[in-house]
Amino acid sequence: MKRNDLHDESSLGVCSSHTLSLKENEQVQLTIKPSEQNYVFVSDFFAGSVLNITVEENAKLQLSLLVKNNFDGAQINVDLGKNAHISTFFADFSKEKEKIKVSINLNGEKSSASWHLASLAAHKDNKEFEINILHHAHETTAISNNFGVSKDQSKLVFSGCSAILKESHGSKTRQNSKIMVFDPECDAVARPILKIDEKDIEAGHGAVVGRIPEDHLFYLTSRGLDESQAKRLITFGYLKPIVRGFQDESIRDEILSLIERRM
Amino acid sequence: MATLIIKDLHAEVDGKEILKGIDLTISQGETVAFLGPNGHGKSTLLNIIIGHPRYHVTKGSIFLDDRNVLAMTVDERSKAGLFFGMQNPVEIPGVINSDFLRASVNAHSSKPISTYNFYKKLDTSTKELKMPFDLATRSLNEGFSGGEKKRNEILQLLLLEPKIALLDEIDSGLDVDAMQTVADVIRKEQEKGVGFLIISHYARLFELIKPTRAIVMINGRIVIDGDPSYIKKIDQTGYEFIKTELGIEIDKDELDMNKVSIGECGIKEIIR
């Protein structure tokens, strides 16, 4: 793996784990060399940060981000080579107003990508995640799973397009977006878009925005949990699966603690 | 010994009166077989006792000893000693079964149970129910078979140790062996003094657990409150005798069509 951050370039080895920290408005280039496998944990990701990633032929990258700061205007751009793979886990506990744009380009044949987002919006947070996944080559596969919780007067938007472009036959793409809203004054929008320019493909999307189902609350309260305990348990279960994308146990504990505290 | 006392209970759902004056008393130590055709109010009564928000009581009372059940929240009813084993337990993705079970046990106790004691109790109970322990580590009811969901309901009964348990068709979805296992567990709970009100359409479960009484609900009213011999009679001849012997016409069960169907691409926005 190479990190080219305008100032420095260093090889970080093969089959290894790394922690990456981006400053405000900093641009970083990560390159995963052919056949390398890397786990990269991004500990800091600020407003204007731009993370450009190239995963070369047959290489694999697991990218895990824990974001607690304002990241307005940040970008993640990914280019995948032939048979390359990226799994991204984005745990968002940032505050205030922000928008991030993610572009994942499946350029090489049989490349694949999975994107997992867990976002918690509270108080007057105003967040938008634009996730674009572009299939440029044949037999590419991608899945985008976005889970959000919106409470108080916050606004949370999941948008973006999964596009299967020409010459991408045999490709598969899927978008899932779910936002749970807690309070009458919060606002949540899930806008999944599919663009299909090729035949012989599979594509699907699903979006749900709604309150905690009444029958879920009834079931849990019928076992003695009061309503706030039941809501907390459901929310915890909704956001908790993101921790599987983080290798370090202390980071996983920190995420669970952030969910607890911010709920 | 706790007693559940229901007097002149009337209730409606979506503006339609379902229960039309229920009088019923169940004490700990009793097992009451709750019979009646579909759509006559049996499940409604159980839901109302535990406090489902969809159902509205328009008249009457429910007391657990001297405590007014209708004045309690749903969780308070559970903590007071009422348990409702549901016909169709909901699946709650992401909520890990063991996390939920532990939170429920803690909600019934003044002091949180230790991790060791909880898992010991869970292990004993899952073995008793012949449940694979890994069900405890999966999302609550998600992907469970019908039989696994019902065993998970009985598992909760074991962990929460209620005074009165209301079981709604707990035997549906159970194969012969699983029904025997569940019946064995119910029998042990009967011996401990738990009171049961059990809805079932099949005599098999009742043969195994030997109810002390049988009640029959027709048209939102309990028209028979008698000895368990009615279970066999109904199993063999159906409900026709209600009309011929008691002169009561049985209303037909009317099923409403689903009003809304949202497919995979549907976007449902309740609050904007």
Side-chain angles (χ1 to χ4, degrees), chain A residues 211-252:
Chain A
R211 281 182 281 194
I212 292 179
E214 190 182 70
D215 55 349
H216 289 191
L217 272 182
F218 172 66
Y219 189 84
L220 298 184
T221 54
S222 77
R223 272 38 176 172
L225 303 178
D226 65 32
E227 198 168 309
S228 68
Q229 288 173 316
K231 281 182 174 175
R232 212 173 69 171
L233 197 61
I234 291 170
T235 310
F236 208 66
Y238 203 66
L239 298 175
K240 185 180 170 185
I242 197 74
V243 300
R244 75 180 192 276
F246 295 80
Q247 291 183 355
D248 189 319
E249 196 165 336
S250 66
I251 303 297
R252 290 201 292 265

Coordinates of all heavy atoms in Angstrom, one line a residue, chain A residues 211-252:
Chain A
R211 N -41.0 5.7 11.7 CA -40.8 5.6 13.1 C -40.5 4.1 13.6 O -40.7 3.2 12.8 CB -42.0 6.1 13.9 CG -42.1 7.6 13.9 CD -43.3 8.1 14.6 NE -44.4 8.0 13.8 CZ -45.6 8.6 14.0 NH1 -45.7 9.3 15.1 NH2 -46.6 8.5 13.2
I212 N -40.1 3.9 14.8 CA -40.0 2.6 15.3 C -41.3 1.9 15.2 O -42.3 2.4 15.7 CB -39.5 2.6 16.8 CG1 -38.1 3.1 16.9 CG2 -39.6 1.2 17.4 CD1 -37.6 3.2 18.3
P213 N -41.4 0.7 14.6 CA -42.7 0.1 14.4 C -43.4 -0.1 15.8 O -42.7 -0.5 16.8 CB -42.4 -1.2 13.8 CG -41.1 -1.0 13.1 CD -40.3 0.0 14.0
E214 N -44.7 0.2 15.9 CA -45.4 0.1 17.1 C -45.4 -1.3 17.7 O -45.3 -1.5 18.9 CB -46.9 0.5 16.8 CG -47.7 0.6 18.0 CD -49.2 1.0 17.7 OE1 -49.9 0.2 17.1 OE2 -49.5 2.2 18.0
D215 N -45.4 -2.3 16.8 CA -45.4 -3.7 17.3 C -44.1 -4.1 17.9 O -44.0 -5.0 18.7 CB -45.9 -4.7 16.2 CG -45.1 -4.6 14.9 OD1 -44.3 -3.7 14.8 OD2 -45.2 -5.5 14.1
H216 N -43.0 -3.5 17.4 CA -41.7 -3.8 18.0 C -41.7 -3.2 19.4 O -41.2 -3.9 20.4 CB -40.6 -3.1 17.2 CG -40.3 -3.8 15.9 ND1 -39.2 -3.5 15.1 CD2 -41.0 -4.7 15.2 CE1 -39.2 -4.2 14.0 NE2 -40.3 -5.0 14.0
L217 N -42.2 -2.0 19.6 CA -42.2 -1.4 20.9 C -43.1 -2.2 21.9 O -42.8 -2.4 23.0 CB -42.7 0.1 20.8 CG -41.7 1.2 20.6 CD1 -42.4 2.5 20.6 CD2 -40.6 1.2 21.6
F218 N -44.2 -2.6 21.3 CA -45.2 -3.4 22.2 C -44.5 -4.7 22.6 O -44.6 -5.0 23.8 CB -46.5 -3.6 21.4 CG -47.4 -4.6 22.1 CD1 -48.0 -4.2 23.3 CD2 -47.7 -5.9 21.6 CE1 -48.9 -5.1 24.0 CE2 -48.5 -6.7 22.3 CZ -49.1 -6.3 23.5
Y219 N -43.9 -5.3 21.7 CA -43.2 -6.6 22.1 C -42.2 -6.4 23.2 O -42.2 -7.2 24.2 CB -42.6 -7.2 20.8 CG -42.1 -8.6 21.1 CD1 -42.9 -9.7 20.9 CD2 -40.8 -8.9 21.4 CE1 -42.5 -11.0 21.1 CE2 -40.3 -10.2 21.6 CZ -41.2 -11.2 21.5 OH -40.8 -12.5 21.7
L220 N -41.4 -5.4 23.0 CA -40.3 -5.2 24.1 C -40.9 -4.8 25.4 O -40.5 -5.2 26.5 CB -39.3 -4.2 23.6 CG -38.5 -4.7 22.3 CD1 -37.4 -3.6 22.0 CD2 -37.8 -6.0 22.5
T221 N -41.9 -3.9 25.3 CA -42.5 -3.4 26.6 C -43.3 -4.5 27.3 O -43.4 -4.5 28.5 CB -43.3 -2.1 26.4 OG1 -44.3 -2.4 25.4 CG2 -42.5 -0.9 26.0
S222 N -43.8 -5.4 26.5 CA -44.6 -6.5 27.1 C -43.7 -7.4 27.9 O -44.2 -8.3 28.6 CB -45.4 -7.3 26.0 OG -44.5 -8.1 25.3
R223 N -42.4 -7.2 27.7 CA -41.4 -8.0 28.5 C -40.8 -7.2 29.6 O -39.8 -7.6 30.2 CB -40.3 -8.5 27.6 CG -40.5 -9.8 26.9 CD -41.9 -10.0 26.4 NE -42.1 -11.3 25.7 CZ -43.3 -11.8 25.3 NH1 -44.4 -11.1 25.6 NH2 -43.4 -12.9 24.6
G224 N -41.4 -6.1 29.9 CA -41.0 -5.3 31.1 C -40.1 -4.1 30.9 O -39.8 -3.4 31.8
L225 N -39.6 -4.0 29.6 CA -38.8 -2.8 29.3 C -39.7 -1.6 29.2 O -40.7 -1.7 28.6 CB -38.0 -3.0 28.0 CG -37.2 -4.2 27.9 CD1 -36.5 -4.3 26.5 CD2 -36.1 -4.2 28.9
D226 N -39.3 -0.5 29.8 CA -40.1 0.7 29.6 C -39.8 1.3 28.2 O -38.9 0.8 27.5 CB -39.9 1.8 30.7 CG -38.5 2.4 30.8 OD1 -37.9 2.5 29.7 OD2 -38.1 2.7 31.9
E227 N -40.6 2.3 27.8 CA -40.5 2.7 26.4 C -39.1 3.2 26.0 O -38.6 2.9 24.9 CB -41.6 3.8 26.1 CG -41.8 3.9 24.6 CD -43.0 4.7 24.3 OE1 -44.1 4.4 24.8 OE2 -42.9 5.7 23.5
S228 N -38.5 4.0 26.9 CA -37.2 4.5 26.6 C -36.1 3.4 26.5 O -35.2 3.4 25.7 CB -36.7 5.6 27.6 OG -36.5 5.0 28.8
Q229 N -36.2 2.4 27.4 CA -35.3 1.3 27.3 C -35.5 0.5 26.0 O -34.5 0.1 25.4 CB -35.6 0.3 28.5 CG -35.1 0.8 29.8 CD -35.5 -0.1 31.0 OE1 -36.7 -0.6 31.0 NE2 -34.6 -0.4 31.9
A230 N -36.8 0.3 25.6 CA -37.1 -0.4 24.4 C -36.5 0.3 23.2 O -35.9 -0.3 22.3 CB -38.6 -0.6 24.3
K231 N -36.7 1.7 23.2 CA -36.2 2.5 22.0 C -34.7 2.4 21.9 O -34.1 2.3 20.9 CB -36.7 3.9 22.2 CG -38.1 4.2 21.8 CD -38.4 5.6 21.9 CE -39.8 5.9 21.3 NZ -40.2 7.3 21.5
R232 N -34.1 2.4 23.1 CA -32.6 2.4 23.1 C -32.1 1.1 22.6 O -31.1 1.0 21.9 CB -32.1 2.6 24.6 CG -30.8 3.3 24.6 CD -30.4 3.7 26.0 NE -30.1 2.6 26.8 CZ -29.5 2.6 28.0 NH1 -29.3 3.8 28.5 NH2 -29.3 1.5 28.6
L233 N -32.8 0.0 23.0 CA -32.4 -1.3 22.6 C -32.5 -1.5 21.1 O -31.6 -2.0 20.4 CB -33.2 -2.4 23.3 CG -32.7 -3.8 23.3 CD1 -31.4 -4.0 24.0 CD2 -33.7 -4.8 24.0
I234 N -33.6 -1.0 20.5 CA -33.9 -1.1 19.1 C -32.8 -0.2 18.3 O -32.2 -0.7 17.3 CB -35.3 -0.6 18.7 CG1 -36.3 -1.6 19.3 CG2 -35.5 -0.4 17.2 CD1 -37.8 -1.2 19.2
T235 N -32.6 1.0 18.8 CA -31.6 1.9 18.1 C -30.2 1.3 18.2 O -29.5 1.3 17.2 CB -31.6 3.3 18.8 OG1 -32.9 3.7 19.0 CG2 -30.8 4.2 18.0
F236 N -29.9 0.8 19.3 CA -28.6 0.1 19.5 C -28.4 -1.0 18.5 O -27.4 -1.1 17.8 CB -28.5 -0.4 21.0 CG -27.2 -0.5 21.5 CD1 -26.4 0.6 21.8 CD2 -26.6 -1.7 21.8 CE1 -25.2 0.6 22.3 CE2 -25.3 -1.8 22.3 CZ -24.6 -0.7 22.6
G237 N -29.5 -1.8 18.4 CA -29.4 -2.9 17.4 C -29.4 -2.4 16.0 O -28.9 -3.1 15.1
Y238 N -29.9 -1.3 15.7 CA -30.0 -0.7 14.4 C -28.6 -0.2 13.9 O -28.2 -0.4 12.8 CB -30.9 0.5 14.5 CG -31.6 0.9 13.2 CD1 -32.5 0.0 12.5 CD2 -31.3 2.1 12.6 CE1 -33.1 0.4 11.4 CE2 -31.9 2.5 11.5 CZ -32.8 1.7 10.8 OH -33.4 2.1 9.7
L239 N -27.8 0.4 14.9 CA -26.5 1.0 14.5 C -25.4 0.1 14.9 O -24.3 0.2 14.2 CB -26.4 2.3 15.2 CG -27.4 3.4 14.9 CD1 -27.2 4.6 15.8 CD2 -27.3 3.8 13.4
K240 N -25.6 -0.8 15.8 CA -24.5 -1.6 16.3 C -23.8 -2.5 15.3 O -22.5 -2.7 15.3 CB -25.0 -2.5 17.5 CG -24.0 -3.4 18.2 CD -24.6 -4.2 19.3 CE -23.7 -5.2 19.8 NZ -24.4 -6.1 20.8
P241 N -24.5 -3.1 14.3 CA -23.8 -4.0 13.3 C -22.6 -3.3 12.6 O -21.7 -4.1 12.2 CB -24.9 -4.3 12.3 CG -26.2 -4.2 13.1 CD -25.9 -3.0 14.0
I242 N -22.5 -2.0 12.6 CA -21.3 -1.4 12.0 C -20.0 -1.7 12.7 O -18.9 -1.7 12.0 CB -21.5 0.2 12.0 CG1 -20.5 0.8 11.0 CG2 -21.2 0.8 13.4 CD1 -20.9 0.7 9.5
V243 N -20.1 -2.1 14.0 CA -18.8 -2.4 14.7 C -18.1 -3.6 14.1 O -16.8 -3.7 14.3 CB -19.0 -2.7 16.2 CG1 -19.7 -1.5 16.9 CG2 -19.8 -3.9 16.5
R244 N -18.8 -4.4 13.4 CA -18.0 -5.6 12.8 C -17.0 -5.2 11.8 O -16.1 -6.0 11.5 CB -19.0 -6.6 12.2 CG -19.6 -6.2 10.9 CD -20.6 -7.2 10.3 NE -20.9 -7.0 8.9 CZ -21.9 -6.1 8.5 NH1 -22.6 -5.5 9.4 NH2 -22.1 -6.0 7.3
G245 N -17.1 -4.0 11.3 CA -16.1 -3.5 10.4 C -14.8 -2.9 11.0 O -13.9 -2.4 10.3
F246 N -14.7 -3.0 12.3 CA -13.6 -2.4 13.0 C -12.8 -3.5 13.8 O -13.4 -4.2 14.6 CB -14.0 -1.3 14.0 CG -14.6 -0.1 13.3 CD1 -15.9 -0.2 12.8 CD2 -13.9 1.0 13.0 CE1 -16.5 0.9 12.1 CE2 -14.4 2.1 12.3 CZ -15.7 2.0 11.8
Q247 N -11.5 -3.6 13.5 CA -10.8 -4.7 14.0 C -10.4 -4.5 15.5 O -10.3 -5.5 16.3 CB -9.5 -5.0 13.2 CG -9.8 -5.5 11.8 CD -8.6 -5.8 11.0 OE1 -7.5 -5.5 11.5 NE2 -8.8 -6.4 9.8
D248 N -10.1 -3.3 15.9 CA -9.6 -3.0 17.2 C -10.8 -3.0 18.2 O -11.8 -2.2 18.1 CB -8.9 -1.6 17.2 CG -8.2 -1.3 18.5 OD1 -8.7 -1.7 19.5 OD2 -7.1 -0.8 18.4
E249 N -10.7 -3.8 19.3 CA -11.8 -3.9 20.2 C -12.0 -2.6 20.9 O -13.2 -2.2 21.2 CB -11.4 -5.0 21.3 CG -12.7 -5.4 22.0 CD -12.5 -6.7 22.8 OE1 -11.6 -7.5 22.4 OE2 -13.2 -6.8 23.8
S250 N -11.0 -1.8 21.2 CA -11.2 -0.5 21.8 C -12.0 0.5 21.0 O -12.8 1.3 21.4 CB -9.9 0.2 22.2 OG -9.1 0.5 21.1
I251 N -11.8 0.4 19.6 CA -12.6 1.2 18.7 C -14.1 0.7 18.7 O -15.0 1.5 18.7 CB -12.1 1.1 17.3 CG1 -10.6 1.5 17.2 CG2 -12.9 2.0 16.3 CD1 -10.3 2.9 17.6
R252 N -14.2 -0.6 18.7 CA -15.6 -1.1 18.8 C -16.3 -0.7 20.1 O -17.5 -0.2 20.0 CB -15.6 -2.7 18.7 CG -15.2 -3.2 17.3 CD -15.7 -4.6 17.2 NE -15.0 -5.6 18.0 CZ -13.9 -6.3 17.7 NH1 -13.4 -6.2 16.5 NH2 -13.4 -7.1 18.6

